Structures are given as structure tokens and as C-alpha cells.
Amino acid sequence: MKKLTVMLATVAGLAISAGGALADSTLKMVEVITSPPRTEFLKKQIAEFEAANPGVKVELVSLPWGQAFEKFLTMVQAGDTPDVVEMPERWMGLYANNAQLEDLGPYMAKWDDAKTLGDRAKQFGSTVNNTQFMIPYGYYVNALFWNKKLFKEAGLDGPPATLDEFVADSKKISAIPGKYGYCLRGGPGAFNGMHMFMNIAQGKGGYFNEDGTSTINEEGSVKGLQMLADMYKNGLAPKDAVSWGFNETVTGFYSGTCAMLNQDPDALLGIADKMSADDFAVAPLPVGPSGKSYPTLGYAGWAMFANSQHKDDAWKLMATLLSPKDNLEWAKEVGVVPIHKGADQDPHFKTEQFKGWFTELSDGSKYEMVTPPTHLENLGNFVDQVAIKNFQEVLLGQKTAKEIADQWAAFLTKEQQDWLAKNKK
């Protein structure tokens, strides 16, 4: 009898042990806006989460940004979905409209840190069906980096305030042998910056009129696209800039190849590491003929897939990464404006180098922020694939700015009007 009791106890112990093993969960997490330092920092935050949550492991998959849209779409189509994904704003419509993302509203209702979450995080994460499918981890706001040494060498004493000055200053700097005025971005990620200059030239922010017709082929907008093409054709940007992405434009700036770069705070990380703070500054974007400018405000965040088998643990991971402490550290590391109220008072953000972005954010009469129409299901493919190829065709003189703007307008108008028809109130 004693032997049987011992055997039963042993079996029970094994069952408990097995139950404990089964209770452990492995979360699959995909990041898509990758760089080696960024990935290492995310791994550090994940390791801290794992240490605080025994039994939960996180498998991190890092996709190269240049091919991330296609690679992630292929993963999802093959059924290889993650629990948590880094979600750029322009991808949200595709996955949310196909019922693939979890509604985070119920989780946020019980989240203590939601009390300090800024209103924009709630607004921008719920652009699809007014449902919180994503929580941004920060904002990418465009402003103008300028090289003080090159400006001085060209006889210029400050950054351009208008589009006309932007072009004129680029010409003067490009007259210096081996130098160029503008670090043009013609490759991956080019659309938002390019469209921003179209909006500035047009004197109208956004993408659509009230009836859903696109504004992207209106006269001023086409002039903005043509301005960039002319700058490239006339040698005001490097020839290989036609295929430049983020890293190439940042390198072009800190190496002194070109004197101006429109970028988000994430570019500051690499530039500040390579240049003295005395040699460059960040100014607000130049204004157009209307006297206003239209900086692109992009964002990305964390989203949960609806078919996750570990939703509670997935939320724990997201809530940790989005907590005020972790989010502030993340914002400093990757170069975004943080999401929690009061973070702007941190000494890191109160330096001269952040002045251009905070000027734009604080002066709504002169700087009107433009966010992508993330509710459109096919926006990701258009922005990350189609529009890049078309922009390069304009830069190389293979198609006219008007031809391409008309193509874009036809696509965007159909997408928006279809969406309006489906969402009539």
C-alpha cells in the first residue's frame, strides 16, 4: 500500500510538473523597422520582461525594413502569424479590415498606465472602425536637418524658411565641388517625405477632399513633385539618391555629402554620434506659398493578432513595452516622440537638437500635421511598393510628374470612395 501511495504521489508530481510545463508560453513577436542597435535594445527590454514573468518566453523575429511589407504579408498568408507585431500606421488598415487584429480596448480599460497615455495614442491607434487595434509607441515628425559648416561655406547664414529658399540654398551648396544641397530619398520609405513637399507646394494638407477625391494631382501638388524631380535632374542631390533609403540619406548627411535632410527624430541617433552638435541643427520645415507647412506625422506601435493562443501574456508584453518607463527609454533609443504625458519634460528632449520638431508641434497656426489614411486597406502596398517605383520613374525622366500624380489620384480616390461607401452613417 505504501509502495502504491509513493507511485501515485510520483505520478501526481509528474502531472503537476507536466501541467507547469504546459502552462509555459512562448510568444512570437515580429519587428519590422529594424536596425542592429534597435534590435539589441528591444532584446534587452524583452529579457527584462522575461525575468519579471517566469514561464513566458519571447521569440523575436526581425524583418529587414526594405522588404518587411512583403515578407510579413507572406508570413501571414502562410498562417505563420505572430502574437505581437510592430505595426506601421499604413499597414493597419490591411490587417484590421481583414479581422486579423485584436481589439485592445478591453485590455486598456484595465491598464493603469492608460491614465497617462496621451490622447493622440488613443486616436491614432483606433483609425480603423474606431477600434483600438494598435497602440503607438511614438511619433515620427519630419523636420529639417542642416549642416552649419556647408551653409557657411556657401555664404548662407541660416536654414531656408520657404520652398523657394530651399531650392536656392541647394543650388548654392551644390556649387561646392563634391557637395549637394539635399539628401533626397528616392528608395524605400520615400513616399511620406515626397508627399509632404507636394502638400507644402499645394498649400493644403492631407490626402482627400470631402467627396473622397484625392488632392495628390492638383496643380500645386504636381508642382511639388516636379520640384523634387528638377532638383535631382539639376544635380542638387546625389545621382544614387534615386535608390536611397533611410540609412543612405542619414549617411549622406553626417558624411557632409549633402547639406539638408528632412527626417524624423530617429535620424538624430546616427547623426549625433557622427557629428558635433555645433556643426548641425534641426529647423522647422520650410513653408510653401500659402505661408504654411505640412509635416508628416507618422507612427508605429504594437498590435496583437486575433488568433494568438496567448493573449493575456501577449498583452503583458505589450503593456510592459508601452509603460511610461519602458516607452521613455524606447523613445530615446529609437528616436520617436514618446506617448505618455509629461515625457517632453525629460532633459533628453529639452535640447537645441529637438527644437525643430517641438516648434512644429507647438505652432498649429503655421505647421499642420498630416497623418496617413491608415483606414485604407491597400495603403501599405501603395506606399511601400507602387509609389516608390513611380517616384523613381519621375526622377529618372521616364514619366512626367503629372502622369504619375494622376495615377496615384485615381488609385487613392477609388480606395477612399469605396471606404466612404462602406462606412456610410
Side-chain angles (χ1 to χ4, degrees):
M1 184 69 179
K2 184 177 180 181
K3 189 173 183 181
L4 179 61
T5 302
V6 171
M7 288 177 63
L8 289 171
T10 302
V11 171
L14 289 172
I16 292 170
S17 175
L22 289 172
D24 290 355
S25 61
T26 298
L27 301 175
K28 185 169 186 175
M29 182 180 197
V30 175
E31 64 159 340
V32 301
I33 308 176
T34 52
S35 71
R38 189 183 193 277
T39 300
E40 286 307 307
F41 186 80
L42 181 56
K43 286 180 178 178
K44 172 183 153 310
Q45 289 193 319
I46 288 172
E48 291 171 356
F49 167 79
E50 290 176 332
N53 294 272
V56 182
K57 299 297 179 185
V58 181
E59 174 194 341
L60 180 65
V61 178
S62 301
L63 301 180
W65 173 238
Q67 299 87 42
F69 178 80
E70 289 178 314
K71 286 183 178 293
F72 186 66
L73 182 61
T74 300
M75 286 176 60
V76 173
Q77 290 174 336
D80 185 17
T81 55
D83 298 281
V84 177
V85 62
E86 181 179 17
M87 181 65 63
E89 81 284 276
R90 56 189 175 272
W91 296 11
M92 193 161 53
L94 173 61
Y95 297 105
N97 282 317
N98 282 291
Q100 292 172 302
L101 300 183
E102 182 77 1
D103 178 5
L104 301 175
Y107 298 92
M108 288 178 65
K110 302 175 183 177
W111 185 35
D112 285 344
D113 289 335
K115 297 170 186 174
T116 61
L117 195 64
D119 292 337
R120 286 186 305 197
K122 300 169 188 174
Q123 173 193 349
F124 294 153
S126 58
T127 58
V128 180
N129 300 327
N130 292 316
T131 303
Q132 195 86 37
F133 287 119
M134 179 257 271
I135 301 176
Y137 56 59
Y139 310 106
Y140 297 92
V141 185
N142 244 257
L144 190 72
F145 289 77
W146 61 286
N147 184 312
K148 294 181 180 181
K149 283 186 172 181
L150 286 178
F151 268 70
K152 185 176 181 180
E153 188 175 347
L156 300 165
D157 59 6
T162 67
L163 274 190
D164 287 343
E165 291 177 4
F166 174 68
V167 176
D169 291 356
S170 293
K171 286 181 181 177
K172 289 179 181 178
I173 294 164
S174 299
I176 303 171
K179 304 298 180 182
Y180 302 88
Y182 177 46
C183 292
L184 183 142
R185 183 173 183 173
F191 180 80
N192 282 345
M194 174 266 297
H195 183 238
M196 178 179 69
F197 277 110
M198 295 173 75
N199 278 334
I200 295 172
Q202 167 77 351
K204 183 192 293 186
Y207 285 75
F208 303 106
N209 295 307
E210 287 187 14
D211 63 357
T213 55
S214 172
T215 59
I216 204 166
N217 66 336
E218 293 181 1
E219 183 179 359
S221 187
V222 174
K223 283 182 179 178
L225 181 56
Q226 187 62 53
M227 179 196 79
L228 295 174
D230 289 342
M231 290 179 71
Y232 179 76
K233 182 180 71 173
N234 295 330
L236 309 190
K239 283 299 175 188
D240 54 353
V242 67
S243 60
W244 277 8
F246 175 85
N247 291 331
E248 293 83 1
T249 57
V250 170
T251 302
F253 184 79
Y254 69 61
S255 66
T257 300
C258 37
M260 287 183 283
L261 168 68
N262 62 281
Q263 255 302 341
D264 310 314
D266 55 347
L268 185 59
L269 301 172
I271 291 169
D273 189 50
K274 302 287 186 179
M275 295 179 74
S276 165
D278 296 330
D279 293 338
F280 77 99
V282 180
L285 288 165
V287 301
S290 68
K292 294 187 69 172
S293 193
Y294 301 90
T296 298
L297 190 152
Y299 54 98
W302 300 114
M304 186 193 307
F305 260 68
N307 63 354
S308 169
Q309 299 300 302
H310 310 288
K311 290 181 181 178
D312 288 342
D313 287 334
W315 170 250
K316 280 184 188 177
L317 174 60
M318 293 174 63
T320 299
L321 296 176
L322 293 164
S323 67
K325 173 184 172 293
D326 281 46
N327 180 248
L328 186 62
E329 293 175 353
W330 175 257
K332 292 177 183 179
E333 178 67 24
V334 307
V336 291
V337 179
I339 60 173
H340 287 278
K341 297 171 184 175
D344 60 327
Q345 296 305 307
D346 187 272
H348 177 84
F349 296 105
K350 293 181 77 66
T351 66
E352 184 70 19
Q353 303 301 336
F354 280 90
K355 187 175 181 180
W357 293 296
F358 283 107
T359 297
E360 291 176 350
L361 287 167
S362 63
D363 187 355
S365 64
K366 192 173 182 180
Y367 303 100
E368 182 180 313
M369 299 295 161
V370 174
T371 58
T374 56
H375 57 280
L376 299 182
E377 183 173 334
N378 295 308
L379 183 69
N381 182 61
F382 171 73
V383 167
D384 291 327
Q385 304 293 324
V386 177
I388 303 304
K389 177 178 178 293
N390 293 156
F391 184 38
Q392 291 172 341
E393 289 172 335
V394 175
L395 294 176
L396 296 171
Q398 296 168 352
K399 291 186 179 178
T400 69
K402 184 66 165 64
E403 286 175 322
I404 290 303
D406 284 343
Q407 288 181 30
W408 291 345
F411 169 81
L412 290 169
T413 296
K414 183 179 186 306
E415 288 286 305
Q416 178 70 355
Q417 290 184 340
D418 285 350
W419 183 85
L420 289 172
K422 289 177 185 176
N423 291 273
K424 280 184 179 178
K425 293 183 178 179

